[in-house]
């Protein structure tokens, strides 16, 4: 949001939420987004389970030791000028609370409405990586997460601009992220288990993929785009936003694809999530060489 030119993949999502973003006061977060500035680790508590809740993350954020948060705020203020230093260091507890409040506003307005589709994409990512690690070992998988990550001896190496050595007596947490696209991010706070956040698949949550021309002729342009987008499980509203149609139109096309056996749909409360069936995947795979 602060550097849209760096992240064009998110433009469709941000446009869907633009009317809400315009009303948000996020200064307590954007103060940490200056180019080259350090962002405090307490904003990114390592998850304690494979499916942590937002509320659990907020509790962990606010429970970080204040002395550690103060030290991280000092690092964030370094080289930023007297005004920023005063803002961040005069009352560290207030700065942390205000950042948490802004994070909640951002979550509720921009992320939570699309979270069911995001969660489905992350579940698929974690299952796929777990199978890979079980079959090939972590040493083979790390470079696939990002070219900057690797395994040497008993050491996991990540190429970064800072030089930090961290012991991992209780393990290392690998966290797929739908918001990191071009790097990995490391959390090395003493308060949490060290973590590496890496770019997850699921890019079709943000922008609809190009579809094979042959698939357009077979299914029609809109249905072929929907089918290709469902490489990542999506909610009906996300599908409509991606392909640029109304919600009723998206529902009609999804029903046709479901009746043809190309997608499955599951309901949780008022939320319906759609994903490809084996037949749908086979159809996409068969058409892919014609791209």
């Amino acid at each position: 949001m602060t550097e849209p030119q760096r992240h064009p993949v998110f433009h469709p999502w941000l446009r869907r939420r633009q009317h809400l973003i315009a009303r948000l006061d996020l200064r307590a977060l954007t103060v940490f987004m200056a180019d080259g500035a350090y962002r405090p680790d307490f904003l990114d508590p390592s998850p304690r389970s494979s499916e942590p809740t937002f509320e659990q993350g907020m509790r962990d954020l606010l429970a970080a030791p204040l002395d550690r948060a103060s030290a991280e705020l000092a690092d964030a203020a370094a080289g930023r000028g007297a005004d920023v230093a005063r803002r961040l260091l005069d009352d560290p507890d207030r700065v942390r609370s205000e950042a948490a409040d802004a994070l909640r506003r951002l979550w509720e307005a921009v992320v939570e409405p699309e979270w069911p589709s995001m969660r489905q994409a992350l579940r698929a990512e974690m299952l796929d990586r777990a199978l890979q690690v079980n079959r090939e070992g972590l040493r083979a998988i790390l470079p696939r997460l990002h070219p900057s990550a690797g395994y040497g001896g008993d050491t996991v190496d990540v190429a970064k601009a800072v030089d930090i050595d961290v012991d991992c007596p209780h393990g290392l947490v690998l966290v797929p992220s739908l918001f990191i696209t071009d790097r990995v991010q490391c959390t090395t706070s003493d308060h949490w288990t060290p973590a590496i956040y890496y770019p997850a698949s699921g890019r079709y949550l943000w922008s609809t993929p190009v579809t094979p021309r042959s698939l357009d002729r077979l299914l029609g342009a809109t249905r072929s785009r929907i089918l290709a987008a469902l490489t990542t499980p999506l909610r009906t509203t996300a599908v409509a936003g991606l392909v640029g149609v109304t919600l009723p139109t998206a529902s009609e096309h999804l029903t046709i694809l479901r009746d043809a056996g190309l997608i499955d749909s599951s309901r949780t409360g008022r939320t319906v999530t759609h994903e490809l069936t084996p037949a749908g995947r086979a159809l996409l795979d068969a058409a892919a060489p014609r791209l």
Side-chain angles (χ1 to χ4, degrees):
M1 290 169 63
T2 57
E3 295 182 275
Q5 72 281 358
R6 263 191 69 196
H7 305 286
V9 70
F10 297 121
H11 290 178
W13 167 59
L14 293 176
R15 279 196 294 270
R16 290 200 295 274
R17 298 286 155 194
Q18 190 171 16
H19 64 293
L20 297 171
I21 293 171
R23 298 201 295 262
L24 294 178
D25 181 1
L26 301 176
R27 287 173 294 178
L29 284 178
T30 55
V31 67
F32 299 115
M33 298 297 122
D35 189 29
Y38 165 74
R39 186 169 73 245
D41 276 351
F42 70 76
L43 291 173
D44 294 307
S46 298
R48 297 177 185 232
S49 68
S50 60
E51 287 208 36
T53 65
F54 177 77
E55 295 302 333
Q56 183 181 14
M58 291 294 287
R59 287 194 297 270
D60 288 344
L61 188 162
L62 293 169
L66 188 56
D67 59 343
R68 181 64 188 175
S70 299
E72 292 176 2
L73 287 171
D75 288 341
R80 300 283 306 282
D83 289 344
V84 172
R86 251 192 321 273
R87 177 178 174 183
L88 296 182
L89 302 179
D90 281 356
D91 189 345
D93 191 35
R94 175 185 54 77
V95 171
R96 181 175 58 177
S97 296
E98 289 178 350
D101 289 342
L103 192 59
R104 181 178 294 280
R105 290 194 292 272
L106 184 62
W107 161 262
E108 291 176 348
V110 182
V111 180
E112 187 178 25
E114 305 201 24
W115 176 241
S117 294
M118 295 181 188
R119 181 173 56 197
Q120 288 283 85
L122 292 169
R123 281 174 173 165
E125 167 74 24
M126 289 190 290
L127 177 60
D128 186 41
R129 295 297 182 185
L131 291 172
Q132 290 178 25
V133 170
N134 184 58
R135 186 171 57 245
E136 303 173 58
L138 182 62
R139 188 183 303 273
I141 300 308
L142 270 174
R144 295 183 204 164
L145 303 184
H146 193 268
S148 65
Y151 206 141
D154 295 327
T155 303
V156 173
D157 298 308
V158 179
K160 301 289 282 186
V162 294
D163 188 10
I164 299 175
D165 291 326
V166 181
D167 290 327
C168 303
H170 304 296
L172 174 69
V173 183
L174 300 178
V175 186
S177 171
L178 293 169
F179 297 102
I180 297 174
T181 60
D182 56 359
R183 67 192 190 286
V184 297
Q185 176 181 316
C186 300
T187 297
T188 57
S189 172
D190 295 336
H191 188 59
W192 296 303
T193 302
I196 297 176
Y197 295 74
Y198 69 91
S201 54
R203 60 194 179 278
Y204 298 154
L205 286 168
W206 311 122
S207 58
T208 186
V210 176
T211 56
R213 237 177 245 170
S214 58
L215 205 57
D216 285 352
R217 291 197 297 268
L218 178 66
L219 300 177
T222 301
R223 283 195 285 277
S224 67
R225 288 164 64 201
I226 290 175
L227 194 71
L230 290 179
T231 300
T232 296
L234 296 172
R235 290 193 311 159
T236 308
T237 51
V239 169
L242 278 177
V243 301
V245 298
T246 64
L247 199 57
T249 299
S251 296
E252 181 181 350
H253 286 301
L254 287 162
T255 298
I256 293 170
L257 292 171
R258 186 169 55 251
D259 290 346
L262 298 177
I263 69 170
D264 276 334
S265 303
S266 58
R267 177 180 293 276
T268 304
R270 291 190 296 174
T271 298
V272 180
T273 302
H274 313 276
E275 57 187 315
L276 294 177
T277 62
R281 289 188 180 277
L283 181 59
L284 278 179
D285 290 344
R290 301 177 184 274
L291 277 170

